[in-house]
Amino acid sequence: MSEPSPARPSVVVLGGGYAGINVAKSLDDVADVVLVEPKDAFVHNVAALRALVDPGWLPRIYLPYGGLLSHGRVVQDRAAKVDAGRVTLASGEELAADYLVLATGSSYPFPAKSDVDRTVDAHEKTLGTHAALAAAARVLLVGAGAVGVELAGEIKAVWPSKQVTMVDVADDVLGGPFRPELKAELRRQLAGLGVQVLLGSPLVAAPPTEPGEPGAFTVQTQAGTEVTADIWFRCYGVIPVSDYLAGGLAGARGADGHIEVTPTLQVAGQDRVFALGDVSTADRKVAGAAGRQAVVVAGNIRALIEAGPDAAGIALAEYELSPPGIVVPIGPEGGSGQRPDSEDLLPPEMVAQLKGRDMMVDRFAELLGVPAAAPAPGGPPEG
Ligand SMILES: Cc1cc2nc3c(=O)[nH]c(=O)nc-3n(C[C@H](O)[C@H](O)[C@H](O)COP(=O)(O)OP(=O)(O)OC[C@H]3O[C@@H](n4cnc5c(N)ncnc54)[C@H](O)[C@@H]3O)c2cc1C
């Protein structure tokens, strides 16, 4: 990579998710920031399942990038080939980068994450799936992790009489480094809503229909339980997006697709290339961790810029792993969670206040400079 230009160095941020928007905004005053993102809006996917059951939330979770940066620019394109100092976009345009930030996150099956670039198309897709779900009497969720548990809760909050069944090969719900008492509490609440939870046995074969498409089917678990449903959703499958790495950066891509980073969140072997969020090996794959990593990455790039020719001698900040904590809503008013600093589980009222009612939309609307939109009539109550 060439020496950074002394006046206003260029920072190219790939990916405008939770990690990328925070880094881009934080460096807007000291660098020429270019944020590359294929979508025309930031997607607050933490609330995507709420928007599936209540599409009045759609305008609140697709937030245009127009108000994010005052000085820098957002390029609607996709990184196709990326080496240490040079980014080639899908359009063929080339960007030179004094500092490069890899924040391309992960994909996850719809509806938890969107695979559509234009907001208008994404809304249409969600509305179609909402209609299919509304018409289905019986729903199968394959996967009982956080997404499966949340989706079961969202469906039951809107349609209490729908039959909802969850299947997982794991022996308990939620997975991850979480307390058995939390998993038991989530199971208790799901049972109270009438959700059938089948654990410890995978399906013999996947349903014959596509996920999210209407059509009755019967499947069987290996333990022999039959489930008949009218629609199903895949609630597992986080895949890091890093297939664009080339040249000297290709070696930083691990066998599972994650990008190897040092404690300072630099890509292994690179001084001015950083990676964070779901695409990196930095921590658990949660937006909260991505936000905390963004503070470290932006601070380190700022320090390097300010040090100028003396950059080689400065000590960069190290990212500290976040202790296990989680907030799992079951609909707007239910759910539980655990905090690192407390033995007690979060009661439903606290979960509703922290996340379940407003799904934290306002803080992202503020970051993106979008006036907070009111929920559509009939939407969940505000926290
Ligand atoms: C249903 C659901 C609920 C969740 N709830 C929570 C929660 O309550 N709290 C929490 O902390 N976490 C939660 N998570 C996890 C959280 O969503 C992720 O950890 C978070 O999205 C990671 O942010 P990121 O910026 O690293 O990646 P992403 O959010 O995946 O963003 C990556 C961006 O990069 C873009 N991109 C992809 N490829 C390219 C390319 N080649 N060039 C340029 N740009 C590209 C994508 O379009 C995307 O906008 C939830 C996840 C799901 C699915």
Side-chain angles (χ1 to χ4, degrees):
M1 195 185 278
S2 59
E3 282 297 306
S5 31
R8 212 172 153 97
S10 59
V11 176
V12 175
V13 180
L14 304 181
Y18 296 92
I21 56 169
N22 278 295
V23 174
K25 185 147 187 121
S26 300
L27 293 172
D28 198 26
D29 62 332
V30 282
D32 286 332
V33 174
V34 179
L35 175 64
V36 177
E37 165 60 51
K39 295 193 170 79
D40 63 7
F42 169 78
V43 186
H44 179 42
N45 68 257
V46 166
L49 305 176
R50 177 67 49 82
L52 173 70
V53 302
D54 182 352
W57 280 70
L58 282 171
R60 307 179 77 194
I61 71 165
Y62 285 79
L63 303 166
Y65 288 107
L68 179 70
L69 303 177
S70 312
H71 178 84
R73 63 191 174 110
V74 180
V75 175
Q76 198 186 339
D77 207 330
R78 184 180 301 273
K81 189 173 165 208
V82 178
D83 203 340
R86 182 154 296 276
V87 173
T88 308
L89 304 180
S91 62
E93 187 185 346
E94 296 216 338
L95 300 171
D98 292 325
Y99 299 90
L100 184 55
V101 178
L102 311 175
T104 43
S106 62
S107 64
Y108 195 98
F110 176 81
K113 277 194 168 180
S114 171
D115 55 357
V116 175
D117 291 343
R118 291 195 328 153
T119 296
V120 61
D121 299 330
H123 283 198
E124 197 177 314
K125 184 170 175 178
T126 301
L127 287 168
T129 307
H130 170 81
L133 174 58
R138 299 158 299 187
V139 186
L140 172 65
L141 306 179
V142 181
V147 171
V149 170
E150 278 200 37
L151 183 50
E154 294 295 340
I155 294 170
K156 279 291 190 178
V158 173
W159 299 286
S161 60
K162 268 195 210 309
Q163 176 193 300
V164 177
T165 305
M166 297 167 70
V167 180
D168 203 309
V169 64
D171 289 329
D172 210 340
V173 298
L174 196 58
F178 304 113
R179 289 166 47 191
E181 302 91 308
L182 172 59
K183 299 178 184 193
E185 171 60 16
L186 295 172
R187 270 190 277 110
R188 190 190 67 75
Q189 291 189 31
L190 290 168
L193 295 169
V195 176
Q196 185 186 24
V197 183
L198 303 175
L199 296 168
S201 182
L203 294 178
V204 173
T209 55
E210 287 298 311
E213 295 291 330
F217 60 84
T218 299
V219 286
Q220 204 176 35
T221 67
Q222 271 181 12
T225 308
E226 275 199 350
V227 182
T228 299
D230 306 302
I231 196 167
W232 72 284
F233 293 99
R234 186 176 281 131
C235 300
Y236 64 90
V238 181
I239 301 176
V241 180
S242 59
D243 52 354
Y244 49 79
L245 293 179
L249 286 185
R253 185 172 192 255
D256 63 359
H258 289 110
I259 302 171
E260 186 77 37
V261 291
T262 64
T264 52
L265 304 182
Q266 286 157 303
V267 172
Q270 302 288 331
D271 289 341
R272 283 185 245 121
V273 184
F274 292 76
L276 73 164
D278 280 13
V279 78
S280 79
T281 54
D283 201 349
R284 286 198 297 129
K285 311 307 172 208
V286 288
R292 286 189 293 281
Q293 290 158 31
V295 174
V296 173
V297 168
N300 283 343
I301 293 177
R302 183 180 290 272
L304 290 169
I305 290 172
E306 285 171 359
D310 304 323
I314 65 166
L316 297 180
E318 297 194 351
Y319 174 72
E320 284 179 22
L321 287 178
S322 43
I326 192 166
V327 182
V328 188
I330 296 186
E333 300 296 333
S336 188
Q338 71 177 66
R339 284 188 146 165
D341 54 356
S342 170
E343 287 291 296
D344 298 327
L345 297 182
L346 292 174
E349 173 55 26
M350 183 78 81
V351 173
Q353 269 179 35
L354 289 171
K355 181 173 165 188
R357 288 186 194 137
D358 72 358
M359 299 305 283
M360 306 182 289
V361 287
D362 293 348
R363 75 175 69 163
F364 293 98
E366 193 183 328
L367 188 67
L368 284 135
V370 177
E382 282 292 275

